[in-house]
Amino acid sequence: MLFADVPPADAEGCVLVHSLRVGGRLLKKGRVLVPADLEEIRNAGITSIIVARLEPDDINEDEAAARIALALAADGARVGASFTGRSNLYATVSGAMSFDAKTIDLINGIDESITVATLAPYATVRPGEMIATVKIIPYAAPRGAVERAAALAAGAIRVAAFQPLQCALISTFLPGQKQALLDKNRTALEARLAPLGGTIMFERRVAHRTEPLTQALREALLQHPDLFFVFGASAISDRRDIIPAAIVAGGGEIEHFGMPVDPGNLLLLARLGGVPAIGLPSCARSPKTNGFDFVLQRIFAGLPVGREEIMHMGVGGLLQEIPSRPQPRDKAPAVLRAPRIAAIVLAAGMSSRMGANKLLQEWRGKALLRWTVEAALASEAKPVIVVTGHDATSAEAILRGLDVVIVRNPAYREGLSTSLRRGLSELPESADGALVMLGDMPEVSGDLLNRMIAAFSPTDGRSICVAVHEGKRGNPVLWSRAFFGEMSAITGDTGAKNLLAANEEQLCEIETGAAALRDVDTPEALAQLRAAGAG
């Protein structure tokens, strides 16, 4: 293709490179000039124009784009009309994108005039959505390059349509676990299956043990499902754990355990009676995209998914996100970041069981309250808010010099809930959650608090993180912002324990050792602390 500055008389059939306004009309760049255009140009007194002239071996941009796009499109894809060197491909079915990224790379490497852009491999699409675009950069492309690109394309892009599958769901439960949680598990799974055309045709709920789970799998197999799901009461931790052991005992085989996608690391892929079986990670409860979706969508689209495919999911597999992260194309993508967690130290009580202000009692050379607050400051929590009330002046003097926000609770006599509300009212709007700490727990460390912060992930169903020891819940507790409204409505001399029971599906227990249970309420407890710690 040649570029030249020529008189209008020599420009017939050439492409106008720069837009011109002549005779009250705008001739836009890219226009193939005809005699009437050239007459208007001459009448406007223009004596030369810059044009592009195609050579015998050139193909016009629209034709070149159309040829390549038509060659690319396979099942589930259609090609739109070309314009300004662009030809778009659209989905005609609901399904998953299927193409070889190396092929697209090879096409893009043929000639700088030819470009192909696609959605990500295996992206879920709906009818009418754009899935790829072919763009010819200049006004024409070399014939040889277009022909090589079309030959390489050879039906490279297709949409693998989702097929309606009948699914079996087996859920396990632990002693004392509420059936309501299993109901929510099913509801979450059904919401995920519906857009893919999946339905649950068989369900069993059994104890989280190998034998009953094996029996349930055998019963499900008799119903000839297309896909098995096992939703465990406890996450799978090893390929010899309860769920994989039950699948093997039922005559199945484990294909792969784990995946390089987060959330979704603990997914199990197996086969039972030749049918795919998935041991679900806990993030399957979340509506947010996670590794389970990667596997589920490929199965419904009839695409291969096994060990090799799973181990190639790591690139682009970091999906961890904050609850407010916008959907693609709605807004600018949110930057991944660590959660913003604040700390609230409750230090307003009257210490009635101690007989003196317990927070002022010393241990290892420092007041109990200062130990607690310094632990909060040593963690990633920011800011640290201390709520004082009874004997506030003395408590605040102990904290002098520390980078904390001190707020007083004038209603401290009305109970713990008033201090909790006071602390919540001081939280910054940017806080994703808050560690609620008791002022009389000096053995809690910054490292312990950081472990709790690291565990916090509302998108994975970990909106509440509770310190526990040997199965018994204690303090601190890390709460998601989603619960601040309910916490602020609590009254009386109580904390938010009732909210824990009502939100088990969002709760994560963190084993923190005995420190989680050791508050110093009585002279005996203080004596034991000092004896144990040489205080």
Side-chain angles (χ1 to χ4, degrees):
M1 186 170 61
L2 301 175
F3 271 73
D5 190 348
V6 300
D10 296 335
E12 184 177 348
C14 292
V15 178
L16 183 65
V17 172
H18 302 297
S19 298
L20 290 174
R21 186 171 292 280
V22 293
R25 191 161 67 97
L26 178 65
L27 303 179
K28 292 184 178 181
K29 67 177 183 178
R31 183 186 184 91
V32 177
L33 296 170
V34 297
D37 300 329
L38 299 174
E39 183 178 358
E40 286 189 306
I41 291 171
R42 287 192 297 267
N43 291 339
I46 298 172
T47 58
S48 68
I49 53 176
I50 298 176
V51 297
R53 178 179 288 119
L54 274 62
E55 297 182 283
D57 198 43
D58 287 334
I59 296 180
N60 168 273
E61 59 180 347
D62 288 343
E63 181 185 350
R67 284 195 191 184
I68 297 170
L70 286 168
L72 282 168
D75 295 342
R78 68 172 182 85
V79 177
S82 298
F83 185 66
T84 61
R86 183 182 301 281
S87 190
N88 297 328
L89 282 74
Y90 300 91
T92 61
V93 296
S94 293
M97 287 281 291
S98 177
F99 62 91
D100 182 359
K102 292 181 180 178
T103 297
I104 305 302
D105 289 343
L106 289 172
I107 293 173
N108 283 325
I110 290 173
D111 188 276
E112 65 181 10
S113 64
I114 298 171
T115 66
V116 179
T118 74
L119 296 181
Y122 308 109
T124 297
V125 296
R126 298 288 181 264
E129 292 184 6
M130 186 187 298
I131 58 175
T133 186
V134 178
K135 172 62 178 169
I136 305 301
I137 301 300
Y139 296 115
R143 184 176 305 274
V146 173
E147 291 174 348
R148 289 197 301 275
L152 272 174
I157 295 177
R158 72 184 180 98
V159 177
F162 293 137
Q163 301 299 316
L165 299 181
Q166 299 290 306
C167 307
L169 170 63
I170 297 99
S171 299
T172 69
F173 56 85
L174 293 169
Q177 191 169 31
K178 294 181 178 179
Q179 289 295 308
L181 177 59
L182 303 187
D183 293 338
K184 290 181 180 180
N185 289 347
R186 172 166 179 153
T187 300
L189 183 58
E190 286 178 325
R192 202 169 237 105
L193 294 177
L196 308 179
T199 55
I200 296 174
M201 47 82 77
F202 176 94
E203 183 183 17
R204 288 289 184 275
R205 299 178 178 185
V206 298
H208 190 68
R209 301 198 314 274
T210 302
E211 295 78 8
L213 179 53
T214 300
Q215 180 60 33
L217 288 167
R218 287 171 175 161
E219 292 175 13
L221 191 58
L222 295 175
Q223 303 302 314
H224 306 291
D226 300 310
L227 180 59
F228 291 93
F229 296 111
V230 183
F231 223 141
S234 179
I236 303 169
S237 59
D238 187 271
R239 60 166 46 230
R240 292 154 294 193
D241 207 341
I242 296 292
I243 292 173
I247 291 172
V248 171
E253 59 182 355
I254 307 304
E255 290 193 356
H256 190 71
F257 173 58
M259 66 187 309
V261 181
D262 189 10
N265 294 137
L266 300 183
L267 181 138
L268 175 77
L269 182 63
R271 297 192 81 82
L272 181 61
V275 176
I278 303 177
L280 300 177
S282 60
C283 61
R285 299 184 178 95
S286 169
K288 300 291 185 178
T289 299
N290 56 69
F292 174 39
D293 295 294
F294 286 13
V295 173
L296 187 67
Q297 290 161 5
R298 293 198 196 189
I299 290 175
F300 271 80
L303 298 173
V305 58
R307 181 185 187 281
E308 183 176 354
E309 287 78 12
I310 285 177
M311 297 314 289
H312 280 95
M313 293 177 180
V315 176
L318 180 58
L319 305 175
Q320 199 68 253
E321 57 187 13
I322 61 173
S324 59
R325 184 175 182 173
Q327 293 299 310
R329 303 181 186 176
D330 287 345
K331 303 175 183 177
V335 177
L336 294 177
R337 61 170 174 80
R340 299 189 182 109
I341 304 299
I344 300 173
V345 180
L346 303 180
M350 295 186 291
S351 305
S352 56
R353 297 175 62 194
M354 178 67 74
N357 191 338
K358 61 183 177 182
L359 301 179
L360 308 183
Q361 305 305 305
E362 287 197 357
W363 176 62
R364 293 183 176 177
K366 285 189 287 192
L368 300 184
L369 177 59
R370 185 155 183 128
W371 278 106
T372 303
V373 173
E374 285 184 351
L377 290 171
S379 76
E380 297 171 5
K382 297 290 180 292
V384 175
I385 299 167
V386 182
V387 183
T388 61
H390 170 69
D391 199 6
T393 302
S394 299
E396 292 164 10
I398 285 171
L399 303 178
R400 190 173 292 121
L402 299 181
D403 184 17
V404 297
V405 177
I406 297 177
V407 295
R408 289 193 179 185
N409 172 24
Y412 66 90
R413 293 180 182 276
E414 297 174 20
L416 182 67
S417 64
T418 62
S419 294
L420 179 59
R421 290 201 301 273
R422 186 73 180 90
L424 290 169
S425 69
E426 294 295 321
L427 289 174
E429 288 294 325
S430 60
D432 298 314
L435 276 161
V436 178
M437 306 174 62
L438 304 181
D440 61 344
M441 300 186 73
E443 293 179 291
V444 169
S445 67
D447 288 342
L448 182 155
L449 299 176
N450 285 340
R451 285 177 57 206
M452 297 182 69
I453 294 172
F456 178 76
S457 178
T459 58
D460 283 336
R462 300 195 297 272
S463 296
I464 310 170
C465 297
V466 186
V468 302
H469 178 52
E470 297 180 348
K472 186 174 181 181
R473 293 174 184 170
N475 285 287
V477 181
L478 197 169
W479 296 88
S480 166
R481 169 172 285 279
F483 296 100
F484 289 176
E486 292 177 88
M487 294 166 72
S488 296
I490 296 170
T491 60
D493 191 20
T494 182
K497 288 184 178 180
N498 289 339
L499 285 180
L500 296 181
N503 295 279
E504 291 284 340
E505 74 279 5
Q506 294 293 315
L507 191 147
C508 174
E509 295 183 336
I510 313 297
E511 174 58 51
T512 56
L517 307 179
R518 289 180 181 164
D519 54 343
V520 186
D521 280 334
T522 65
E524 293 78 12
L526 179 60
Q528 291 173 4
L529 176 70
R530 287 172 171 168

